[in-house]
Structures are given as C-alpha cells and as structure tokens.
Amino acid sequence: MLVIAGLGLYGFRDVSYGLMEWIRKADVIFLEQYTSILPGFDVKEFSKWIGKRVVLTTRKDIEEMNGGGILHEAKKGIVVFLTIGNPFYATTHVALVLRAAQMGIDYLVIPSVSVFDGIICSLGLQMYKFGKTATLTFPSEEYGFYPHSTYFTVLDNLRKGLHTLLLLDLKVEENVFMTVDKAVDVMLLLERLNNKNVFDEETLMIGVARATALDEKVYIGKIGDAREVDLGPPPHSIVIPGILHDVEIEYLSARFGVDKKVLEEWSNRVKTEYLDTQNT
Amino acid sequence: MLVIAGLGLYGFRDVSYGLMEWIRKADVIFLEQYTSILPGFDVKEFSKWIGKRVVLTTRKDIEEMNGGGILHEAKKGIVVFLTIGNPFYATTHVALVLRAAQMGIDYLVIPSVSVFDGIICSLGLQMYKFGKTATLTFPSEEYGFYPHSTYFTVLDNLRKGLHTLLLLDLKVEENVFMTVDKAVDVMLLLERLNNKNVFDEETLMIGVARATALDEKVYIGKIGDAREVDLGPPPHSIVIPGILHDVEIEYLSARFGVDKKVLEEWSNRVKTEYLDTQNT
C-alpha cells in the first residue's frame, strides 16, 4: 500500500495526527525533498521524533526510475511517501500514484497544507480573488527558453482584477533558488521581450519568504525597489496583487505597517490601466 | 493572544502537532462551525481527546458582536479560535484577526488544509490549471438575487482552458446545504438568464462530496444526469473542468473508472468551443 502525504510548510508543526497513525504502521518511510523546501525541518530530528528510519529519495528515483523502488516496497508492505506541502501540487507525485493504481497497489492520499494556504494565512488575501497560479522559472538564454506564459498569466489576472501567486523556481539538488530580489530581473526581462506593460519598476509586488515560518519575512513595495531586498533563505514566493478589497488593505497595513495609500494607489492603477471592463 | 487555526477537512485526522501545542497552552478554546462542515467530527469527542472544554461560537458572535467575546478573552489570556479548513478562507476570520491587531492583541495564524487541497488530493487535478474559484450560492427570486458572477467566472476560466472549483452554498445554522444534484438547477437557471452557452445538459462536471473523507463520493459526468445523483451528506463541491492534461485524464480514469473518451471529448469541446485563441 502507498500512502502519500505532506509534511506541511514549517518544521514539524503541520504534521497531522492522521499522518502519524500511518507513519506508525509504515514498513518503509520515504521522503522527497527536491520539489520544495521545508524550513525549520531536520530529517535526523524527525527520524528520532517518529522513532523510525527515513529513506531519502531523489528526482532520479521518481522520474527516471519511475518510482520503481517505492512501488516495489509498496507491493510488499505499507509505504509512507512524504512530500512537502500539498502532496499533489507536484505533477510527478500524481504520476507516481497513477503508476501504483495501474499496478494494482492500494493507495491513499492524505492532504496537507499547500503554499497557497501559507500565503493566504500570511497575507490575509482572499482566496477567491486569486486567478491562475504560475511558476516563475529561470530563463535559459542558451536554450532560448523564457517563461512567457507566466507573464501572460499575470496579465490575464490583472485584466480581471485578480491577484497572481507566483511560485519561484528552485533546483534543490543544485542548491539554486530564485529569490525575490532576483525575480525582479526575470520579470523585467519578460517585459522587454513581450512589451505589454505588465511589469515596470513601479509595479506593486508582495514578496514572501518562508510563509508562516517563525522567521517569515515579507516585502511589500515596488518591483524596482525589490532588487535591494534580502529576505533570507528559500522558499520565496511573490504575489502580484490585483484590485485589493478594503479588508485586504486594512490587514496588510495593520500586519506589515505598509502605507494604505501605496495599496490604494496600486488598486486604482489596476482598475484604470488593466481591468477589462467589457461585458463578458 | 489570539491563535486562529483550522481543524482541516475530516474528523481529527488533519489536526496538527503545532496546533495541539497551542491547544495545550490555551486558556479558552472557541470553535466556529457555521462557515463550513467537518465530516466525521464530533465536538464532545474532540473535547474529551484534548481534555479541555470547547466553546461554540455562532455567526452572531463573530459578525454582529464583532467577535467581542473572543477578543475580550484574548486580551486576558491565550485564546485558540478553531475553524474548519484554512482559517483565512472566510473573510469574516480575517476581519476578526484585523480587529485583534487594531486592539493591540498579539495574534498568530496557523495554516491548515483547505477545501482546495482536498479537491486536488481527491481528483489529482493540477493546481496551476485552476482559474479563479467561485461560490455557487442559492438564488433568491424574492430579492432578485442570482449568482451571475459565478456563471461568468466559469466562462472566463473555460476561455482560458482552466478548471473552476465551485464551492456550494451552505447555511449551516439553518441546516440548508446546496448539494450537487440541486446545483444543476441553479447552473441551468443562470444559463437561461445569461444565455452565453456556459452550461447545458451535456456540460461535464465533477461533483465531490466530503473530499478526502473515508466516505468521499465522486460523480463525473454530464450536468443533465447529475440531477439523479445522491452523494450523501455535505459538504459538496463541483469542478467544471477545462482542458484536461493526459495525466489528469489517466488519473481520473484509474481512480474513478470513468471512460477516458468522456474526458477527452469534453477536453476537445473546451478547446474548440470556448478557448480564446486570440493572442493575449
């Protein structure tokens, strides 16, 4: 049997009693740490806490080997496969469970808090004011790859007055992480290439590092000023706000001490400059 | 101090160790059960499990009394305010914490799994293929209220090929819940009033009852056939799929035994009938 579950967003805090029941019953426990970063988490301490050995898996194990090692064990006994955040935010995890299903292996997906939950809890933004989420990946000039679709996702959302959550690229195994300050250059590069007036130095952005962690850090301000911002270790995310609701403005102001005028001015800019007022 | 946290989606399963630490330290524990439904959860058993009394709050306590009772206690000691799912999916909870901030009361938001996490884990759909989420509320012919914006949200999402999560209305205190079978009439009523060809009897929908619970039930099929479907007690949600990725089709087929052709045909219909192919 394959049980796939998330450890949440920070340390051992989000580990649930339901997950712990399965950890107790497990014959083998796997953990993958290449799709995301779990601040405040230490595998050795975790292993000690649960009183069981934890086997680390790599991208190669899951993608190139098709999770063969995991599925082999899941045929014989109870396997708990631990991930970070919501276990199904990574397509590769859905594909793994699909292979289990096709091999006739029983499976169970235990939900866990996602980065989206963390951002909502950190910022007090309303979930139904978010449009499509996108990932801002590192461009590769060598291969001629640029994350243009992410640029157009932000534009689409702004036209509807919606917020965009931008997940920032990470290559955990190479120890390479996109941070809020570095994302500025990627955003402005996309602007130069597409020229649709989505990002400029004045665009309002919210940068969040280690959402909901004890050492969470948040930057709210212009993209142009974010180059100088150091929010510390990953993971980082960005929200490009759309039209902000009064409660959202009040909350961001009360929590982060940001001037309400900055938020109101941006909200007005979205209304006048981006909002698609054509009747649908 | 005010600690606001979610209990998750099912029974005690999603209660986290981090939350339990605060429950142990709490002077008073409040629980609100009017913004959502937590299947498999019993307050008395929960109270016994944690070894503390749990005070139930009502919509009136939070909205009309501005959470006065809760904030009064949070001024004196540690208050844990429990909700269902992600604590900030309800605007009323953000407003409560905002009032705490304005009164100079310390606060902490502990994330918890949201209904979106549950739907992702149940269906294996990819989170970045979802557009804006909307709530399908009960229309009120008496007051001339119809959830038109929800209709246009689905249309916007279909034009981008995106999935829409529709949360279904619930009036817990009146014991009134919109179920998947009843939602059909609301969707087709909205179609008659707006006439933009968003919903018809052939539209593909996924109805999910009690996502991730042990007795979870899923319906995948035409809207027209959903009238005859009984998925049992609330909460129910609906997904109107956009263009489905191959892994999504394979997963839905493997997990729920639905014919791949049904999913592929719908995907093609979205592509040909709705997709906005105009360059953005």
PDB file of all heavy atoms in Angstrom, chain A residues 220-233:
ATOM      1  N   ILE A 220       6.650  44.410   0.838  1.00  0.00           N
ATOM      2  CA  ILE A 220       5.553  44.979   0.046  1.00  0.00           C
ATOM      3  C   ILE A 220       6.032  46.307  -0.516  1.00  0.00           C
ATOM      4  O   ILE A 220       6.370  47.215   0.250  1.00  0.00           O
ATOM      5  CB  ILE A 220       4.290  45.195   0.905  1.00  0.00           C
ATOM      6  CG1 ILE A 220       3.880  43.890   1.598  1.00  0.00           C
ATOM      7  CG2 ILE A 220       3.139  45.734   0.043  1.00  0.00           C
ATOM      8  CD1 ILE A 220       2.647  44.007   2.469  1.00  0.00           C
ATOM      9  N   GLY A 221       6.103  46.401  -1.821  1.00  0.00           N
ATOM     10  CA  GLY A 221       6.577  47.651  -2.410  1.00  0.00           C
ATOM     11  C   GLY A 221       6.762  47.508  -3.904  1.00  0.00           C
ATOM     12  O   GLY A 221       6.301  46.539  -4.526  1.00  0.00           O
ATOM     13  N   LYS A 222       7.442  48.487  -4.471  1.00  0.00           N
ATOM     14  CA  LYS A 222       7.635  48.500  -5.911  1.00  0.00           C
ATOM     15  C   LYS A 222       8.634  47.429  -6.344  1.00  0.00           C
ATOM     16  O   LYS A 222       9.586  47.131  -5.624  1.00  0.00           O
ATOM     17  CB  LYS A 222       8.178  49.872  -6.332  1.00  0.00           C
ATOM     18  CG  LYS A 222       7.202  50.989  -6.090  1.00  0.00           C
ATOM     19  CD  LYS A 222       7.836  52.336  -6.384  1.00  0.00           C
ATOM     20  CE  LYS A 222       6.807  53.436  -6.080  1.00  0.00           C
ATOM     21  NZ  LYS A 222       7.383  54.783  -6.241  1.00  0.00           N
ATOM     22  N   ILE A 223       8.407  46.883  -7.529  1.00  0.00           N
ATOM     23  CA  ILE A 223       9.338  45.904  -8.094  1.00  0.00           C
ATOM     24  C   ILE A 223      10.747  46.504  -8.156  1.00  0.00           C
ATOM     25  O   ILE A 223      11.734  45.858  -7.801  1.00  0.00           O
ATOM     26  CB  ILE A 223       8.873  45.465  -9.504  1.00  0.00           C
ATOM     27  CG1 ILE A 223       7.724  44.464  -9.387  1.00  0.00           C
ATOM     28  CG2 ILE A 223      10.022  44.867 -10.299  1.00  0.00           C
ATOM     29  CD1 ILE A 223       7.311  43.844 -10.711  1.00  0.00           C
ATOM     30  N   GLY A 224      10.819  47.767  -8.589  1.00  0.00           N
ATOM     31  CA  GLY A 224      12.115  48.420  -8.769  1.00  0.00           C
ATOM     32  C   GLY A 224      12.948  48.451  -7.499  1.00  0.00           C
ATOM     33  O   GLY A 224      14.183  48.377  -7.543  1.00  0.00           O
ATOM     34  N   ASP A 225      12.262  48.572  -6.345  1.00  0.00           N
ATOM     35  CA  ASP A 225      12.989  48.635  -5.074  1.00  0.00           C
ATOM     36  C   ASP A 225      13.331  47.259  -4.515  1.00  0.00           C
ATOM     37  O   ASP A 225      14.082  47.149  -3.535  1.00  0.00           O
ATOM     38  CB  ASP A 225      12.158  49.404  -4.029  1.00  0.00           C
ATOM     39  CG  ASP A 225      11.930  50.855  -4.459  1.00  0.00           C
ATOM     40  OD1 ASP A 225      12.788  51.386  -5.191  1.00  0.00           O
ATOM     41  OD2 ASP A 225      10.897  51.432  -4.075  1.00  0.00           O
ATOM     42  N   ALA A 226      12.748  46.230  -5.102  1.00  0.00           N
ATOM     43  CA  ALA A 226      12.912  44.885  -4.542  1.00  0.00           C
ATOM     44  C   ALA A 226      14.308  44.315  -4.811  1.00  0.00           C
ATOM     45  O   ALA A 226      14.720  43.356  -4.151  1.00  0.00           O
ATOM     46  CB  ALA A 226      11.840  43.949  -5.098  1.00  0.00           C
ATOM     47  N   ARG A 227      15.025  44.915  -5.759  1.00  0.00           N
ATOM     48  CA  ARG A 227      16.383  44.431  -6.057  1.00  0.00           C
ATOM     49  C   ARG A 227      17.290  44.493  -4.837  1.00  0.00           C
ATOM     50  O   ARG A 227      18.229  43.730  -4.708  1.00  0.00           O
ATOM     51  CB  ARG A 227      17.000  45.290  -7.164  1.00  0.00           C
ATOM     52  CG  ARG A 227      16.621  44.886  -8.541  1.00  0.00           C
ATOM     53  CD  ARG A 227      17.563  45.508  -9.552  1.00  0.00           C
ATOM     54  NE  ARG A 227      16.917  45.593 -10.854  1.00  0.00           N
ATOM     55  CZ  ARG A 227      16.118  46.571 -11.240  1.00  0.00           C
ATOM     56  NH1 ARG A 227      15.870  47.582 -10.425  1.00  0.00           N
ATOM     57  NH2 ARG A 227      15.571  46.551 -12.435  1.00  0.00           N
ATOM     58  N   GLU A 228      17.002  45.452  -3.969  1.00  0.00           N
ATOM     59  CA  GLU A 228      17.853  45.685  -2.791  1.00  0.00           C
ATOM     60  C   GLU A 228      17.402  44.885  -1.583  1.00  0.00           C
ATOM     61  O   GLU A 228      17.935  45.032  -0.498  1.00  0.00           O
ATOM     62  CB  GLU A 228      17.839  47.175  -2.430  1.00  0.00           C
ATOM     63  CG  GLU A 228      18.133  48.119  -3.576  1.00  0.00           C
ATOM     64  CD  GLU A 228      19.467  47.792  -4.239  1.00  0.00           C
ATOM     65  OE1 GLU A 228      20.409  47.438  -3.500  1.00  0.00           O
ATOM     66  OE2 GLU A 228      19.555  47.858  -5.487  1.00  0.00           O
ATOM     67  N   VAL A 229      16.366  44.059  -1.780  1.00  0.00           N
ATOM     68  CA  VAL A 229      15.732  43.387  -0.647  1.00  0.00           C
ATOM     69  C   VAL A 229      16.347  42.007  -0.416  1.00  0.00           C
ATOM     70  O   VAL A 229      16.503  41.241  -1.364  1.00  0.00           O
ATOM     71  CB  VAL A 229      14.205  43.269  -0.917  1.00  0.00           C
ATOM     72  CG1 VAL A 229      13.561  42.248  -0.014  1.00  0.00           C
ATOM     73  CG2 VAL A 229      13.554  44.632  -0.764  1.00  0.00           C
ATOM     74  N   ASP A 230      16.693  41.715   0.833  1.00  0.00           N
ATOM     75  CA  ASP A 230      17.192  40.382   1.161  1.00  0.00           C
ATOM     76  C   ASP A 230      16.255  39.743   2.174  1.00  0.00           C
ATOM     77  O   ASP A 230      16.214  40.131   3.336  1.00  0.00           O
ATOM     78  CB  ASP A 230      18.610  40.491   1.745  1.00  0.00           C
ATOM     79  CG  ASP A 230      19.154  39.114   2.154  1.00  0.00           C
ATOM     80  OD1 ASP A 230      18.476  38.098   1.857  1.00  0.00           O
ATOM     81  OD2 ASP A 230      20.237  39.067   2.763  1.00  0.00           O
ATOM     82  N   LEU A 231      15.484  38.784   1.715  1.00  0.00           N
ATOM     83  CA  LEU A 231      14.501  38.143   2.600  1.00  0.00           C
ATOM     84  C   LEU A 231      15.031  36.853   3.210  1.00  0.00           C
ATOM     85  O   LEU A 231      14.293  36.123   3.855  1.00  0.00           O
ATOM     86  CB  LEU A 231      13.194  37.886   1.848  1.00  0.00           C
ATOM     87  CG  LEU A 231      12.444  39.118   1.311  1.00  0.00           C
ATOM     88  CD1 LEU A 231      11.146  38.699   0.610  1.00  0.00           C
ATOM     89  CD2 LEU A 231      12.107  40.095   2.429  1.00  0.00           C
ATOM     90  N   GLY A 232      16.295  36.559   2.994  1.00  0.00           N
ATOM     91  CA  GLY A 232      16.866  35.364   3.610  1.00  0.00           C
ATOM     92  C   GLY A 232      16.625  34.099   2.806  1.00  0.00           C
ATOM     93  O   GLY A 232      16.307  34.153   1.614  1.00  0.00           O
ATOM     94  N   PRO A 233      16.804  32.944   3.469  1.00  0.00           N
ATOM     95  CA  PRO A 233      16.762  31.638   2.785  1.00  0.00           C
ATOM     96  C   PRO A 233      15.433  31.326   2.104  1.00  0.00           C
ATOM     97  O   PRO A 233      14.419  31.950   2.431  1.00  0.00           O
ATOM     98  CB  PRO A 233      17.014  30.636   3.924  1.00  0.00           C
ATOM     99  CG  PRO A 233      17.531  31.422   5.075  1.00  0.00           C
ATOM    100  CD  PRO A 233      17.036  32.822   4.912  1.00  0.00           C
TER     101      PRO A 233
END
